[in-house]
């Protein structure tokens, strides 16, 4: 039997391992960390939303949502304590950069339930919200930061959005299910070399000097994915690049009356996203507003792991501008993670120019939610390409089990045209 090696036991690699194992293939997952889900996955805000700029993006997120909702069924076996999906609804505040009309037309095509709200409805549904339009986002030191609003915002509301309670546990659940389906998990195993012969991958070399022979390899190395591609000499025909970026997410107490957990809010007008946490917490992340310097990294391992006072204060003050009862604590608390950012903030799920070498990379801070379906995408691509399909010329068409949608996987090609409809931010 042929062997698939999956590099990376984050939520994406664990999901791919599960689907390959479920398809009856021999799978070995290797991860350099001492546990499952300790990379980007552990820092994830795990928001599940459907506001993507492409049809394939919306359809994938909508299909995945059904997997999270029936998580035990998705896993297909008993793996102990499960992560939970919390349905909170999400209000995406209006912003010209990501026009509401575009999402509405995609939602209609895919069948995502939604409501269009004016500012009055927004105030009625989110206690204490300031519906002012403050665009563009500004730095705290900018004298115009506190300028009056120049208009009022409405929102696009999706009642079925929410978040996954414990992203690391989600990866652990997937990995445990993969093992139950026959996959082998090797932790503390760093891939330091990729061997090929005759234009085909044949094995990986590990840091301890051992070699694993393989017939296919999947790069699911998250922010380290570019490094693995370089080791394999892969990437020459990619039109889309990937690059690691450091990110902070502030953790604060939700304002009184916000709800437990309150509704999630995407607020590009002020440059933040907010999501409640059961127990009275609120997570505040950034949406890469132009005024903030982006923290690109050459090496993900060099990311400063501590939240900084400057980013914390900026993010939480912006959030407090929107949720007027929110207080800004004096001490920075939160998590730091690294995104694996693709040029157009849209992931790459594809084969490569090296036969047998596949990539599930460039997840751009927005693919946790899609992980259950990404495993199925990769299993379908691998099975069909290994069976002789020219996926570059005739991309796999994926039939989604829950929604009945057909998703053209060419949308995630390494050789696609840059997605010009992208918001150019984590929203995809
Ligand atoms: C702060 C933050 C907030 C986010 N919020 C959201 C959100 O709200 N919603 C959403 O959908 N997405 C969100 N994301 C994105 C989401 O979390 C990621 O897209 C997803 O977790 C990526 O998973 P992964 O398995 O590809 O990568 P990772 O979890 O990073 O896993 C990669 C694994 O590969 C291993 N590895 C790397 N190189 C090697 C090697 N050479 N040998 C062996 N092992 C190796 C690493 O140890 C790691 O465990 C967020 C991400 C961050 C950082």
């Amino acid at each position: 039997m042929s062997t698939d090696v999956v590099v990376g036991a984050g939520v994406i690699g664990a999901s791919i391992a599960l689907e390959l194992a479920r398809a009856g293939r021999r799978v070995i997952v290797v991860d350099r960390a001492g546990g499952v889900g300790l990379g980007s996955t552990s820092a994830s805000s795990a928001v599940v939303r459907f506001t993507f700029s492409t049809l394939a993006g919306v359809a994938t997120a909508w299909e995945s949502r059904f997997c999270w909702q029936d998580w035990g069924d998705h896993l297909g076996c008993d793996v102990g304590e499960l992560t939970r999906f919390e349905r909170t609804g999400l209000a995406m505040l209006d912003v010209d950069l990501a026009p509401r009309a575009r999402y509405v037309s995609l939602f209609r095509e895919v069948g995502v339930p939604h409501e269009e709200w004016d500012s009055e409805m927004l105030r009625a549904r989110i206690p204490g919200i300031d519906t002012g339009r403050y665009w563009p986002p500004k730095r705290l030191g900018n004298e115009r930061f506190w300028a009056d609003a120049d208009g009022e915002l409405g929102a696009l509301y999706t009642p079925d959005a929410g978040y996954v309670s414990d992203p690391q546990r989600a990866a652990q659940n997937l990995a445990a299910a993969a093992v139950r389906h026959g996959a082998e998990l090797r932790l503390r195993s760093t891939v330091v070399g990729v061997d090929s012969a005759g234009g085909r991958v044949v094995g990986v070399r590990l840091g301890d000097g051992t070699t694993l022979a393989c017939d296919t390899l999947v790069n699911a190395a998250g922010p380290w994915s570019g490094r693995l591609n370089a080791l394999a000499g892969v990437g020459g025909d990619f039109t889309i690049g990937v690059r690691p970026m450091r990110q902070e997410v502030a953790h604060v107490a939700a304002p009184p009356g916000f709800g437990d957990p309150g509704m999630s809010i995407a607020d590009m007008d002020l440059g933040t996203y907010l999501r409640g946490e059961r127990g009275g917490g609120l997570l505040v992340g950034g949406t890469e507003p132009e005024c903030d310097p982006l923290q690109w990294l050459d090496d993900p391992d060099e990311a400063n792991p501590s939240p900084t006072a400057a980013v914390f204060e900026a993010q939480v003050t912006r959030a407090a501008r929107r949720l007027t009862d929110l207080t800004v604590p004096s001490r920075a608390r939160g998590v730091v993670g690294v995104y694996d950012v693709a040029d157009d903030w849209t992931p790459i799920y594809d084969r490569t120019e090296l036969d047998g070498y596949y990539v599930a990379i460039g997840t751009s801070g927005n693919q946790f939610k899609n992980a259950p379906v990404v495993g199925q995408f990769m299993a379908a691509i691998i099975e069909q390409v290994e069976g002789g399909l020219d996926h570059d010329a005739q991309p796999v068409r994926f039939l989604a089990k829950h929604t009945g949608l057909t998703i053209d996987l060419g949308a995630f090609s390494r050789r696609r045209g840059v997605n010009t409809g992208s918001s150019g931010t984590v929203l995809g």
Side-chain angles (χ1 to χ4, degrees):
M1 191 190 285
S2 60
T3 301
D4 305 323
V5 165
V6 179
V7 183
V11 73
I12 297 284
S15 175
I16 295 166
L18 170 59
E19 298 307 334
L20 290 171
R22 219 176 336 227
R25 302 175 68 101
R26 176 159 185 260
V27 183
I28 305 174
V29 191
V30 292
D31 200 296
R32 59 184 212 150
V36 168
L38 292 173
S40 281
T41 298
S42 60
S44 189
S45 305
V47 174
V48 175
R49 62 173 168 85
F50 319 112
T51 40
F52 281 91
S53 54
T54 62
L55 181 62
V58 174
T60 306
W62 183 233
E63 171 70 14
S64 296
R65 189 257 178 202
F66 291 89
C67 304
W68 292 118
Q69 186 175 267
D70 290 318
W71 191 232
D73 278 1
H74 176 77
L75 298 172
C77 56
D78 181 7
V79 294
E81 191 182 336
L82 300 182
T83 195
R84 284 186 330 275
F85 174 68
E86 298 277 1
R87 181 177 182 268
T88 61
L90 178 136
M92 166 109 187
L93 307 191
D94 290 337
V95 66
D96 289 345
L97 189 64
R100 185 203 289 198
R102 187 192 303 152
Y103 297 119
V104 167
S105 97
L106 293 173
F107 286 176
R108 287 197 182 126
E109 204 167 338
V110 169
V112 179
H114 59 280
E115 297 168 22
E116 296 194 60
W117 290 355
D118 58 14
S119 51
E120 197 183 325
M121 179 62 116
L122 197 50
R123 279 191 296 274
R125 294 294 298 270
I126 304 182
I129 193 168
D130 174 339
T131 55
R133 179 184 189 275
Y134 296 105
W135 181 264
K138 296 160 201 77
R139 294 185 68 72
L140 276 191
N142 183 330
E143 60 188 19
R144 293 199 48 76
F145 184 88
W146 297 106
D148 289 342
D150 65 3
E152 290 245 72
L153 298 178
L156 179 60
Y157 176 66
T158 40
D160 294 305
Y163 70 93
V164 174
S165 63
D166 184 340
Q168 192 185 343
R169 187 178 295 279
Q172 290 167 345
N173 290 162
L174 288 162
V179 168
R180 288 288 299 271
H181 283 89
E184 184 186 335
L185 178 62
R186 293 203 187 187
L187 297 173
R188 294 184 194 82
S189 302
T190 306
V191 174
V192 296
V194 177
D195 294 327
S196 58
R200 190 167 178 99
V201 68
V202 293
V204 293
R205 275 169 279 132
L206 303 180
D208 65 2
T210 56
T211 299
L212 292 177
C214 66
D215 302 277
T216 65
L217 178 153
V218 186
N219 178 353
W224 299 267
S225 65
R227 194 191 282 175
L228 189 65
N229 281 352
L231 283 178
V234 154
D237 69 347
F238 283 43
T239 53
I240 309 289
V242 296
R243 224 170 141 194
M245 180 193 282
R246 182 180 178 279
Q247 282 291 335
E248 297 186 22
V249 177
H251 287 192
V252 293
F258 184 64
D260 184 16
M263 191 183 296
S264 301
I265 304 172
D267 181 7
M268 289 171 82
D269 182 67
L270 281 168
T272 62
Y273 67 85
L274 319 174
R275 83 124 165 103
E277 173 98 321
R278 200 167 275 288
L282 184 73
L283 273 56
V284 184
T287 58
E288 294 81 36
E290 247 181 65
C291 60
D292 289 358
L294 299 176
Q295 300 186 42
W296 294 109
L297 301 167
D298 290 326
D299 178 355
D301 294 326
E302 279 170 9
N304 168 8
S306 307
T308 59
V311 173
F312 179 86
E313 199 191 346
Q315 283 176 335
V316 183
T317 307
R318 286 170 181 151
R321 186 111 228 241
R322 190 62 73 201
L323 298 179
T324 49
D325 296 330
L326 181 70
T327 41
V328 185
S330 53
R331 217 166 124 226
R333 235 188 95 231
V335 296
V336 172
V338 183
Y339 292 171
D340 183 33
V341 179
D343 294 341
D344 55 4
W345 296 82
T346 301
I348 306 173
Y349 302 132
D350 202 358
R351 59 161 298 157
T352 65
E353 75 266 35
L354 178 61
D355 286 344
Y357 185 102
Y358 296 82
V359 287
I361 65 176
T363 56
S364 304
N366 58 45
Q367 292 293 302
F368 174 87
K369 64 181 72 56
N370 289 344
V373 173
V374 171
Q376 298 172 358
F377 283 174
M378 294 307 295
I381 292 172
I382 291 168
E383 188 192 308
Q384 294 191 41
V385 170
E386 294 303 310
L389 177 83
D390 183 352
H391 176 60
D392 291 334
Q394 269 188 307
V396 171
R397 291 177 66 75
F398 175 84
L399 180 62
K401 182 173 131 193
H402 297 283
T403 54
L405 295 161
T406 298
I407 304 174
D408 178 350
L409 300 192
F412 306 112
S413 164
R414 72 200 184 282
R415 304 203 310 195
R416 62 175 182 255
V418 168
N419 169 15
T420 50
S422 164
S423 63
T425 75
V426 69
L427 294 190

